Amino acid sequence: MLEKALVGGKRYWTWVFFLLAVVGIGFITYLQQFKLGLGITGLSRDVSWGLYIGQFTFLVGVAASAVMLVIPYYLHDFKKFGKIVILGEFLAVSAVTMCILFIFVDMGQPMRIMNVVLHPTPNSIMFWDSVVLGGYLTLNIIIGWATLHADKKGTKPASWVKPLIYLSIPWAVSIHTVTAFLYAGLPGRHFWLSAIMAARFLASAFAGGPALLIILALIVRKFTKFDPGREPIQAIGKIVTYAMIANVFFLLLEVFTAVYSSIPGHTHPFKYLYLGLEGHAKLVPLMWTSSILAIVSLVLLIFPSIRRNESMLALACIALFVSLWIDKGFGLIIGGFVPNMFEKVTEYWPTLPETIITISVWAVGFLVLTILYKVAVSVREETAGIELEH
Amino acid sequence: MSMDRREFLKIAGFSTIGIGVGWILSRPGEFLEASQFLQTKELLKAKQWAMVVDMRRFKTEEDYRKVIDACHKIHNVPDFGNPKDEIKWIWADTFEHAFPGQENEFMPESMKHKPFILLCNHCENPPCVRVCPTKATFKRKDGITMQDLHRCIGCRYCMAACPFGARSFNYRDPRPAIKEPNPEYPTRMIGVVEKCTFCEERLAKGQIPACVEASNGALTFGDIADPNSEVRRLLNTNYTIRRKAELGTRPVVYYILDIPTSVVSGGESNA
């Protein structure tokens, strides 16, 4: 089926080559980082994780979101997701690929990455994160490919796929829970030391990932003959709405605990992020942009009459996605390091090479996504009109 | 006997798992205590090494410099001249930064601005060891928290986990930033985390840590599990504090505070 990715119009190839060019520039920049070390990034002794790990954290959420389609479709027999569920599974493949790449580019000694496998360390959450991410990637590739293959032949997927699909549901929850545990169990990092961290991660994942999926579904409809359908998009819109309400609520719970308790260690990161601390306020405009976009998206989503309008829904999803990207892909990580363990403020801002590498990892993700979607859409276009039974 | 594709895949799959398990079982060396690899005759032994920092004995800038230089020189600690890429094994910082949350605005001025000697606390329950995904950070039997520079993948999870900022990362090639390299001790490469190791290389030769030797008695090193040790004597006869003891990492670096003599004598005259 992969050969379908080799047949395409001018627009398709322009897009593919554009992505390849971005990947190429990023690769050259990465070689520079490989040679000179992570010193070319904005990271320091005090803020030892930054943009790369932030993107990894955010994209784990995007990956986990496929389950928001898989659960209704396979568990509750919500037939309308039949055509769109494959888009969710392939989005997960692309997101996990980016996650793994972001971990890779963040490592000081990437050539030693196999040490994680050669010296398995069950007490390290990072070990479990690599296990669950690798497993989730494999699951989604197998499930996506098998179901698509069945679609192509107009038959039901083989019976061995079903157990894998059911396994993928708790697995999706686990990838985000484990990623939250990377942060939540560290002594002395007040901003992360919160039992609600995993819940926050899941809520933001189930809002951000499906929001991206809506945007992608609308793009697919606009540029191909494959229409995922109005109803499934509206149904996902509802999922996004509830998940975002939960996400904002959880964030407010964190703010309450920190501010009302007045414990300095707990309030300082919030002050740094939203108000500035000791004259340092680099992230303040960004965090408020995130908050305002979150409110905008909620207003657009909560009122059914607005949400039913597809262009308003698209707008809401874009606002929501950017809001969560700032909050989780940047603020959450930096807030854990600022102020540092000495209650001193060392600020962080990504450098140009760091930004180029980050963009190019996203380009790899979009390339994987484009190729997988091209295959899925081509199959769909061939079988247009046939209602699928899984 | 013919074998269909399904059968072949089944056998191939199981053999792969078998080889993997066999390979892990054939490497018992992996599970040896790491402290065993430097067993020399002169090795200083302890159940739990610990240090007492007597802040009363740090008076001049020279007192601090001697201690810090002794460590950084013999261990080839690079100096990049900027805080971003900074590497430090032992350093000095104010009470407020060393003991956040314990400072108050009315504490003696002399203490408020007095730099405290800071280093890895070699915690009994170290979070850095717990989080390391490759066992590059590990705990020796004698309580020393070690860093295997050849296994470290540079993920910096230990830096996020350490509540004492005791770990440094080689963001750049350290070698050009070492002023007078000591050929007796290895230099490091980019992309690995490093830290104080209580001079395990000196303990192996029967010597005490370099900072302790250079401190003129301000630093005391010994076995905290031995009731007759000098560190225990100091802990018995002085009031000591530890950094962030409330986090439960059980640091083994203890501080005797420098209470201004005027305050002490004032108290006596009122008695």
Side-chain angles (χ1 to χ4, degrees), chain A residues 100 126 271 302 366:
Chain A
I100 292 169
M126 203 174 271
K271 274 193 186 151
I302 287 175
F366 274 112

Side-chain angles (χ1 to χ4, degrees), chain A residues 124-330:
Chain A
S124 172
I125 302 292
M126 203 174 271
F127 166 72
W128 291 109
D129 214 32
S130 65
V131 170
V132 292
L133 279 177
Y136 195 63
L137 181 65
T138 317
L139 275 177
N140 275 287
I141 290 174
I142 295 174
I143 295 168
W145 209 249
T147 50
L148 191 66
H149 211 75
D151 283 358
K152 196 184 167 207
K153 290 192 286 186
T155 56
K156 282 185 181 183
S159 53
W160 56 264
V161 184
K162 264 280 162 74
L164 292 185
I165 290 169
Y166 292 133
L167 177 63
S168 79
I169 294 170
W171 206 290
V173 176
S174 83
I175 66 169
H176 226 31
T177 306
V178 174
T179 306
F181 285 177
L182 278 181
Y183 307 101
L186 303 181
R189 298 283 175 196
H190 304 287
F191 191 57
W192 297 337
L193 195 68
S194 155
I196 208 178
M197 195 59 99
R200 265 185 79 191
F201 269 52
L202 285 166
S204 72
F206 295 159
L212 178 61
L213 200 67
I214 291 177
I215 300 166
L216 291 172
L218 292 173
I219 291 172
V220 165
R221 178 202 278 161
K222 194 166 169 138
F223 291 101
T224 73
K225 274 178 259 163
F226 169 50
D227 182 7
R230 185 185 152 76
E231 269 183 275
I233 288 174
Q234 283 299 323
I236 303 172
K238 272 181 216 154
I239 293 172
V240 172
T241 311
Y242 286 116
M244 187 59 178
I245 291 171
N247 176 57
V248 172
F249 178 62
F250 288 166
L251 176 65
L252 292 174
L253 295 184
E254 296 266 38
V255 174
F256 173 80
T257 307
V259 175
Y260 195 77
S261 75
S262 270
I263 298 172
H266 290 273
T267 53
H268 285 164
F270 284 99
K271 274 193 186 151
Y272 171 68
L273 292 175
Y274 292 97
L275 302 170
L277 194 64
E278 294 165 15
H280 301 279
K282 247 184 197 164
L283 263 61
V284 174
L286 214 51
M287 295 313 287
W288 281 107
T289 308
S290 169
S291 304
I292 291 163
L293 287 174
I295 294 166
V296 168
S297 74
L298 276 181
V299 169
L300 295 178
L301 287 168
I302 287 175
F303 297 103
S305 53
I306 306 178
R307 193 176 62 225
R308 280 194 207 110
N309 177 335
E310 268 186 6
S311 17
M312 292 312 255
L313 179 64
L315 199 66
C317 287
I318 292 167
L320 183 147
F321 191 75
V322 175
S323 164
L324 289 182
W325 181 85
I326 295 171
D327 185 45
K328 210 159 143 218
F330 207 73

Side-chain angles (χ1 to χ4, degrees), chain A residues 33-50 52-53 106-110 112-127 181-183 185-190 192 337 341-344 351, chain B residues 23-24 27 30 83-88 91 93 96-98 100 118 127 129-135 149-157 159-173 189-192 243-244 247 249:
Chain A
Q33 180 189 299
F34 186 75
K35 192 171 154 232
L36 298 175
L38 283 155
I40 68 164
T41 66
L43 296 169
S44 64
R45 200 179 186 285
D46 288 335
V47 186
S48 49
W49 282 344
Y52 297 151
I53 293 296
D106 186 68
M107 293 207 332
Q109 283 293 329
R112 296 181 186 165
I113 197 161
M114 287 310 285
N115 277 2
V116 179
V117 185
L118 296 175
H119 309 287
T121 311
N123 48 277
S124 172
I125 302 292
M126 203 174 271
F127 166 72
F181 285 177
L182 278 181
Y183 307 101
L186 303 181
R189 298 283 175 196
H190 304 287
W192 297 337
F337 287 103
M341 55 297 251
F342 306 103
E343 290 288 321
K344 267 199 249 185
T351 59
Chain B
W23 179 74
I24 288 168
R27 305 181 69 187
E30 291 293 313
K84 184 180 171 307
D85 302 317
E86 188 179 27
I87 308 250
K88 49 189 180 188
W91 69 101
D93 208 336
E96 180 193 8
H97 293 140
L118 307 179
V129 171
R130 192 155 64 232
V131 302
C132 178
T134 62
K135 305 186 188 85
L149 299 159
H150 299 280
R151 190 183 284 188
C152 175
I153 57 172
C155 69
R156 310 186 298 293
Y157 198 3
M159 294 175 81
C162 175
F164 305 103
R167 305 180 143 259
S168 307
F169 180 69
N170 285 279
Y171 281 101
R172 295 175 187 282
D173 182 7
M189 63 200 298
I190 53 166
V192 294
R243 297 173 65 197
K244 300 187 182 177
L247 297 180
T249 68

Side-chain angles (χ1 to χ4, degrees), chain B residues 16 19-21 42 65 82 122 126 159 201 225 260 265:
Chain B
T16 313
I19 291 167
V21 171
E42 304 84 21
R65 211 179 46 78
N82 73 62
H122 296 277
M159 294 175 81
E201 81 286 359
S265 58

Side-chain angles (χ1 to χ4, degrees), chain A residues 25-37 40 357:
Chain A
I25 294 165
F27 185 69
I28 293 164
T29 317
Y30 178 72
L31 289 181
Q32 193 76 359
Q33 180 189 299
F34 186 75
K35 192 171 154 232
L36 298 175
I40 68 164
I357 292 170

